[in-house]
Amino acid sequence: MSSTSAPAATPHRLFSGRHLPLVFGVVGLVTLGAFENRAVGTALPTMVREFDALGSFGLANAAPNASYLISLALAGLWSDRRGPIPTLRVGAIAFTLAQLLVGTAAGMPMVVAGRLLSGFAEGLLDVSLMVLVARTLPAVLRPKMFSLFAAMWILPSVLGPVLTGLVTEEFGWRWVFLGAILLIVPSWMLLGPAMRQAANAPAPERSAEDVAELAAWRAALPWALAASVALFSMTLAGDHLEAHPVLGGLVIPVTLVVLGLAAIRVMPAGTFVARRGFPAVVAVRGLGGAAFVGTGAYLPLLLTLQHDFSPSEAGVTLSITGVSWAFGSWLQGRELGIDRVSVLRSGLALMTVGLAVTSLLAWTNATAWFGLIGWGFAGVGMGLSSSSLSVLTLDLSDAGNSGRNSSAGQMAGTMSIAIALAVSGTLLALNAADPQPWVFGTILTAGTAIALLGLLAAGRVRPT
């Protein structure tokens, strides 16, 4: 009697023929967005000098963050109702128009308008790409995909400022933005097969609970708009606090209250008490973002004031961030036989310890490299935890709410970072004449404490 054996199941591979168009298309868009993000910081000083509009520097920087918030809310609702393709298409068109506006700007009003449109496009693209990944990639491949997302920020972080500087010097800053339009076409074409697969997938069945959640999300859109306006106003007030202390001192507390009220309305119920399951995921994302970005924003200034780094030397923190974050994200994508929540908690523990070591840069005169090593460990922890949170977001979602859940998580990160930067920025502004070590020490130690809160809440992301 002969025996037959069942054929072995074909293992899922990210870089297989079936998934390659999606991988290269998504990687192309993410890389393009990363280069645009890093390029603006290099080209903007030249732009404001050319237009003799130094006072608009803060406005141009704040504009994308404000439009990003409302865009996230719209993208979450739209992607869940109509699928990711319409949202992705409008995001790509908005990105192209934004680069065209900035690249052909006749003055700073056009630049600010382009930056507003750029932030709007980024929100649409971020959420729709997450939903596209959820609908076209097997769950086992999502950690690897998110590690690729982070890896695509390495070259822009390291080479972006250099390339932008060369293009600006040789051809003019306008080609930094106009050149990006040429690169979006091949990325879009590569996404074609994945978009057709998502478009042909059956529409998700909606339960009564899904319908109620969609209605609640729609009702929260005005609050997302209020949060966008508050974020824009808060950033402007912080930039001009020294020149207009009374007005700024009034605007910042009011906008913080508006942001807090908006967060209550747009975040999932239970977020602020880290209720077990998805609300805890959103809470941890907000805490982790505030801790890491709130610390990283002040490291270059701290290094120049207290450790005599030159501006270019202080920029090493950005390179450390890009490389270490990508390494942590790559690490979480390996099949190590560790459950996802344990990976998340390990990342947050590493971030907490790394930030504690980094804070020594402010409190002591210890050798700077010791604190920078701590910052590198914090970056690895952020890579582990951030990508794990993206995976958990999709694991705890279904086809009917993955867009809203993805946008809720990103909105939590954006608002918590904005609040952290506003509070720490106010503290620095009040001591701007002679910032003592305790000012930076307070900011960095607060980041460590916030990361510890995220670690304590991380155990609640696993649903009962």
Side-chain angles (χ1 to χ4, degrees):
M1 180 177 178
S2 61
S3 62
T4 58
S5 59
T10 303
H12 291 293
R13 291 189 175 90
L14 190 61
F15 291 97
S16 65
R18 178 184 175 188
H19 300 306
L20 274 181
L22 172 69
V23 171
F24 285 127
V26 170
V27 162
L29 285 179
V30 172
T31 304
L32 192 57
F35 264 111
E36 192 262 356
N37 181 282
R38 293 294 187 246
V40 168
T42 305
L44 196 56
T46 302
M47 295 158 63
V48 295
R49 286 197 300 270
E50 181 174 317
F51 291 130
D52 192 23
L54 189 61
S56 298
F57 185 84
L59 190 66
N61 268 321
N65 293 327
S67 56
Y68 182 67
L69 269 180
I70 184 62
S71 176
L72 286 174
L74 288 171
L77 180 63
W78 195 5
S79 295
D80 285 342
R81 293 187 63 186
R82 305 296 182 190
I85 309 308
T87 315
L88 186 62
R89 184 180 294 118
V90 173
I93 293 171
F95 179 85
T96 302
L97 291 177
Q99 307 314 302
L100 189 62
L101 264 176
V102 178
T104 60
M108 283 306 292
M110 282 184 67
V111 172
V112 173
R115 298 286 288 141
L116 280 168
L117 191 56
S118 179
F120 186 80
E122 184 181 353
L124 296 180
L125 292 173
D126 284 353
V127 173
S128 58
L129 287 177
M130 285 276 286
V131 177
L132 186 65
V133 167
R135 295 194 180 185
T136 57
L137 271 188
V140 70
L141 293 181
R142 292 171 188 167
K144 297 180 184 295
M145 192 68 193
F146 291 127
S147 69
L148 270 182
F149 277 27
M152 291 309 102
W153 280 80
I154 296 180
L155 284 179
S157 296
V158 176
L159 298 181
V162 177
L163 291 177
T164 302
L166 289 175
V167 171
T168 300
E169 292 173 6
E170 296 296 328
F171 305 103
W173 59 264
R174 297 180 185 275
W175 285 103
V176 172
F177 302 94
L178 295 176
I181 298 175
L182 302 176
L183 299 177
I184 199 170
V185 177
S187 298
W188 183 262
M189 293 176 65
L190 284 169
L191 280 174
M195 290 192 293
R196 286 191 292 272
Q197 179 184 346
N200 294 330
E205 296 183 5
R206 302 202 183 280
S207 64
E209 184 181 358
D210 288 332
V211 174
E213 287 181 356
L214 280 170
W217 190 262
R218 193 182 303 112
L221 287 180
W223 284 100
L225 178 60
S228 295
V229 175
L231 177 58
F232 189 75
S233 303
M234 181 174 60
T235 307
L236 269 181
D239 286 346
H240 297 87
L241 186 61
E242 186 175 357
H244 306 283
V246 176
L247 181 61
L250 290 173
V251 169
I252 290 177
V254 171
T255 53
L256 283 173
V257 171
V258 173
L259 273 174
L261 291 173
I264 293 172
R265 296 303 183 102
V266 302
M267 293 296 105
T271 296
F272 293 94
V273 294
R275 193 175 71 195
R276 188 172 295 278
F278 180 67
V281 172
V282 177
V284 173
R285 182 178 287 279
L287 291 168
F292 188 78
V293 179
T295 297
Y298 292 93
L299 286 183
L301 183 60
L302 167 62
L303 290 172
T304 55
L305 292 180
Q306 289 187 213
H307 294 273
D308 298 322
F309 276 44
S310 68
S312 59
E313 290 172 338
V316 72
T317 58
L318 292 176
S319 299
I320 292 174
T321 299
V323 174
S324 60
W325 188 325
F327 175 72
S329 187
W330 171 84
L331 196 60
Q332 65 80 36
R334 304 305 93 195
E335 296 179 3
L336 303 176
I338 305 174
D339 70 275
R340 181 56 50 184
V341 176
S342 296
V343 175
L344 172 63
R345 298 180 77 172
S346 299
L348 289 166
L350 191 60
M351 191 200 316
T352 303
V353 173
L355 291 178
V357 174
T358 305
S359 69
L360 296 177
L361 287 168
W363 291 117
T364 72
N365 292 322
T367 308
W369 62 261
F370 186 69
L372 291 176
I373 289 175
W375 180 240
F377 279 111
V380 175
M382 187 61 178
L384 284 168
S385 58
S386 178
S387 296
S388 293
L389 287 167
S390 297
V391 174
L392 287 164
T393 295
L394 297 184
D395 286 349
L396 295 173
S397 306
D398 54 40
N401 62 9
S402 56
R404 281 168 288 147
N405 286 353
S406 298
S407 62
Q410 294 182 67
M411 287 177 71
T414 302
M415 284 194 278
S416 63
I417 290 169
I419 291 172
L421 292 178
V423 173
S424 55
T426 302
L427 176 63
L428 182 62
L430 293 173
N431 296 273
D434 184 22
Q436 297 297 311
W438 70 266
V439 174
F440 293 105
T442 300
I443 293 172
L444 270 60
T445 303
T448 305
I450 294 171
L452 180 59
L453 284 177
L455 174 59
L456 295 175
R460 302 181 61 80
V461 303
R462 184 186 287 107
T464 54

